[in-house]
Amino acid sequence: MTLHTSIKRNAYYDSVTLMLLSRELQKLEGVEDVLVGMGTDLNLDLAKDLGLASGEFDTLTPNDLFIAAKIDEAQISMKQVEDAFIEQLNKSAESDGDEDYQPPSLRSAVQALPGANMVLVSVPGQFAAAEVEEALDAGLHVMLFSDNVSVEDELRLKQKAVEKGLLMMGPDCGTAIINGKPLCFANAVRRGRIGVVGASGTGTQEVTVQVHKLGEGLSQVIGTGGRDLKEQIGGLMMIQGFESLIADPETDLIVLISKPPAPLVAEKIYQIAKTSPKPVVIDFIGGDRAAIEAVGAIPCISLEDAAQKAVKALHGEAFDDFTGFSLPEDYINCIVDTSVAKLKSDQTELRALFTGGTLADEAMKVLGVHHEIYSNIPLSPEMAIENLPGGRGHICLDLGEDQFTRGRPHPMIDPQTRTEFFESHVDEKTAVILVDVVLGFGSYLDPAGAVADSVREIRQRLSKQGKDVVVIASVCGTDLDSQDLNKSIESLEAAGIIVLPSNAQAVRLTDRVLQRIKKGA
Amino acid sequence: MSLNDLFKQELKVVNLGLKSFHNDLKSQGVTVVQVNWKPKAGGKKNMLNLLSKLNKVKQS
């Protein structure tokens, strides 16, 4: 194998395009390893770690494209790798089918689009703050998808946005629906009277999807970015969003979603909730229930519960915590019985492989009550995945975390990472596999199909040992999403996967099956 | 433009970065312009710092 590098100066392409191209080139006969990227610090470090960096890398700037490949020259030449790259790039441009004029800067784009009111920024983090600042200075609202933006920049930009009455959603903000238009990763849901401000991406998606399934709709869905409710930022965007929804005549009820905020920030939000003339439902996943009730807001036990309470409160109906299942209890018991009956006595372990971060958080909170779960988002430091004894035990992973996404697309965009984890982490000791399937804009075109294919492969593999496995899933999506909720459920069920109507219920069923296994079937 | 004014307007988006976001918006009939974005000053840190200082001087 020999290492070759090809550099194209002043040729900028976005990271997702290049990551997907890298994966296509990796499939070529004779290519052992390949990385295509822009010369950013992040990519240069990754190339070094992969042993793909050469002396020429010292001359790269973030505006230069590189292809670094370890190839077997008996099978393929670097010229052929480059040609394949160009071919793939052209294919990707063709599928875009877009010949529109593309202005070279934000300023010229604003001139080209009179009445522009929102700037969506997903450029590499080190360049993002400057672009956001320019947008805010021009009086434009911003959704900042990029990560790797410093807390100092976030604070400064959000202060500027608040001063000007503008949105600055992010950094690392993946979901918003403004005026009925989904931005970045969001589901197609009907418009309605429930407004949401969310600091947790897939948590917000799950709530909006559940509201839609219950027949209601969303007025505005405002993202804040995950750090907004930390003490350094002080909840600037959640407060800004919350107050704007209170003032919005199209919004009759407000849902707030976040991981537990810093106590001082939570207090500020509770004070606004206390005086809100509109009902407020708060899901601070694992947050302080008594404090929420004390200000007259509605606390929740899950994302699904938040949606149910929001819809019931909107209709003036009474509500309780939703701790059960949509299906009758005896039906659930039957599912547990038949599931456990097909396992052998040495099959005891859980493999929960999530693509949505908040959905994984929700699973950890519930499963951690009865089971010891090793994770990359552990409930306590000793349960970190690195401490898994001899590779044996229950595992729950958030595959969208940075450690799994270096140099490759987020698993909601490209199922490859989870496909590989199905191969490497599911074995003859696995009893239950738990997954999320997230549909919507930004997501892979057929995430359910990818999971179904992996499960078929796993079943074939285990059948050689006379074994089977229980697979439980939920689909975060709607009938209006391009991937289609019903088609996705059919595709999962055809592979023998048990599909529950929410993440909370899928997690609860998993808990029941694991408890039954622990007791002994 | 205040946030509550935005809620009353047609959403018009300028997209800097991932082309797929532009395509998703376009498919929903949102008016969107894709910027042919490249790192300013070739992405060189010292040049970027200099540019940022110049901008601040201009603004003050």
Side-chain angles (χ1 to χ4, degrees), chain A residues 12 14 16 41 61-63 96 98 100 102-106 109 113-124 127 131 134 137 141 145 165-167 179 181-184 220 240 244 247-248 441-442, chain B residues 1-4 6-45 48 55-56 58-59:
Chain A
Y12 186 84
D14 75 55
V16 171
D41 290 346
T61 75
N63 214 4
D96 280 349
D98 191 358
D100 292 349
Q102 296 187 6
S105 68
L106 174 59
L113 181 60
N117 44 26
M118 175 69 69
V119 180
L120 182 50
V121 179
S122 56
V123 302
F127 306 107
E131 302 290 354
E134 194 177 329
D137 284 337
H141 300 277
F145 178 82
L166 297 169
L167 280 176
N179 300 349
K181 305 296 182 194
L183 296 167
C184 299
Q220 305 290 342
Q240 171 101 324
S244 72
D248 175 31
F441 290 99
Chain B
M1 176 206 316
S2 87
L3 191 38
N4 288 90
L6 172 72
F7 296 162
K8 293 177 210 145
Q9 293 179 347
E10 181 199 341
L11 194 68
K12 291 189 178 181
V13 181
V14 174
N15 187 47
L16 278 85
L18 303 180
K19 189 74 192 301
S20 55
F21 291 153
H22 164 271
N23 297 344
D24 281 344
L25 287 167
K26 210 173 166 193
S27 74
Q28 301 172 68
V30 176
T31 312
V32 53
V33 167
Q34 173 74 23
V35 173
N36 184 13
W37 187 86
K38 288 185 175 99
K40 282 179 183 151
K44 288 172 188 149
K45 277 179 194 158
L48 280 169
N55 276 337
K56 276 180 192 154
K58 253 195 223 169
Q59 278 170 21

Side-chain angles (χ1 to χ4, degrees), chain A residues 394-411:
Chain A
H394 297 312
I395 296 174
C396 176
L397 297 176
D398 171 5
L399 297 174
E401 280 284 303
D402 291 352
Q403 73 223 76
F404 301 123
T405 55
R406 270 189 90 199
R408 41 172 55 197
H410 191 282

Side-chain angles (χ1 to χ4, degrees), chain A residues 69-366:
Chain A
K70 266 186 205 163
I71 55 173
D72 176 1
E73 285 176 300
Q75 294 188 69
I76 195 166
S77 69
M78 190 59 188
K79 171 82 173 56
Q80 285 170 308
V81 175
E82 287 175 24
D83 289 347
F85 168 76
I86 301 284
E87 191 188 327
Q88 289 294 332
L89 197 61
N90 288 340
K91 254 194 221 168
S92 145
E94 272 169 33
S95 68
D96 280 349
D98 191 358
E99 298 301 321
D100 292 349
Y101 166 63
Q102 296 187 6
S105 68
L106 174 59
R107 189 176 303 175
S108 50
V110 172
Q111 282 165 0
L113 181 60
N117 44 26
M118 175 69 69
V119 180
L120 182 50
V121 179
S122 56
V123 302
Q126 73 220 75
F127 306 107
E131 302 290 354
V132 172
E133 186 134 38
E134 194 177 329
L136 294 173
D137 284 337
L140 300 166
H141 300 277
V142 173
M143 177 162 183
L144 174 54
F145 178 82
S146 316
D147 57 5
N148 294 315
V149 173
S150 71
V151 177
E152 294 74 27
D153 279 340
E154 179 176 352
L155 180 62
R156 182 171 52 81
L157 295 168
K158 282 186 169 167
Q159 283 170 335
K160 182 173 270 194
V162 170
E163 216 172 273
K164 291 172 169 273
L166 297 169
L167 280 176
M168 205 301 270
M169 303 185 280
D172 208 6
C173 178
T175 302
I177 305 175
I178 303 296
N179 300 349
K181 305 296 182 194
L183 296 167
C184 299
F185 291 83
N187 299 90
V189 294
R190 79 176 67 75
R191 290 207 79 178
R193 297 178 288 155
I194 296 175
V196 176
V197 191
S200 308
T202 46
T204 304
Q205 285 188 259
E206 175 78 345
V207 170
T208 59
V209 159
Q210 295 298 335
V211 164
H212 176 90
K213 283 183 185 172
L214 291 164
E216 271 299 334
L218 287 305
S219 55
Q220 305 290 342
V221 178
I222 296 168
T224 66
R227 284 194 307 225
D228 191 68
L229 285 90
K230 291 193 184 295
E231 205 167 325
Q232 300 99 308
I233 308 297
L236 285 174
M237 213 30 60
M238 180 156 281
I239 292 168
Q240 171 101 324
F242 190 5
E243 287 176 338
S244 72
L245 292 180
I246 291 174
D248 175 31
E250 305 296 320
T251 300
D252 291 342
L253 181 141
I254 298 159
V255 182
L256 307 178
I257 307 159
S258 169
K259 288 183 189 175
L264 285 175
V265 181
E267 196 42 45
K268 281 193 228 170
I269 290 162
Y270 294 151
Q271 285 314 311
I272 302 171
K274 199 174 177 177
T275 55
S276 165
K278 299 177 182 179
V280 182
V281 174
I282 300 181
D283 188 10
F284 287 160
I285 302 150
D288 184 346
R289 183 176 186 123
I292 293 169
E293 282 173 334
V295 294
I298 302 165
C300 310
I301 59 157
S302 70
L303 298 160
E304 179 184 35
D305 189 44
Q308 293 208 357
K309 284 175 176 161
V311 170
K312 284 185 175 165
L314 189 69
H315 296 167
E317 295 167 11
F319 49 79
D320 288 315
D321 290 344
F322 181 65
T323 55
F325 296 91
S326 306
L327 290 166
E329 192 62 28
D330 53 352
Y331 197 95
I332 293 295
N333 284 333
C334 181
I335 295 176
V336 174
D337 289 344
T338 49
S339 297
V340 176
K342 68 181 182 183
L343 299 171
K344 303 283 185 207
S345 59
D346 62 342
Q347 288 182 277
T348 55
E349 295 175 2
L350 167 71
R351 297 291 180 263
L353 300 174
F354 281 92
T355 58
T358 323
L359 303 176
D361 284 335
E362 189 171 69
M364 288 296 293
K365 292 268 163 12
V366 173

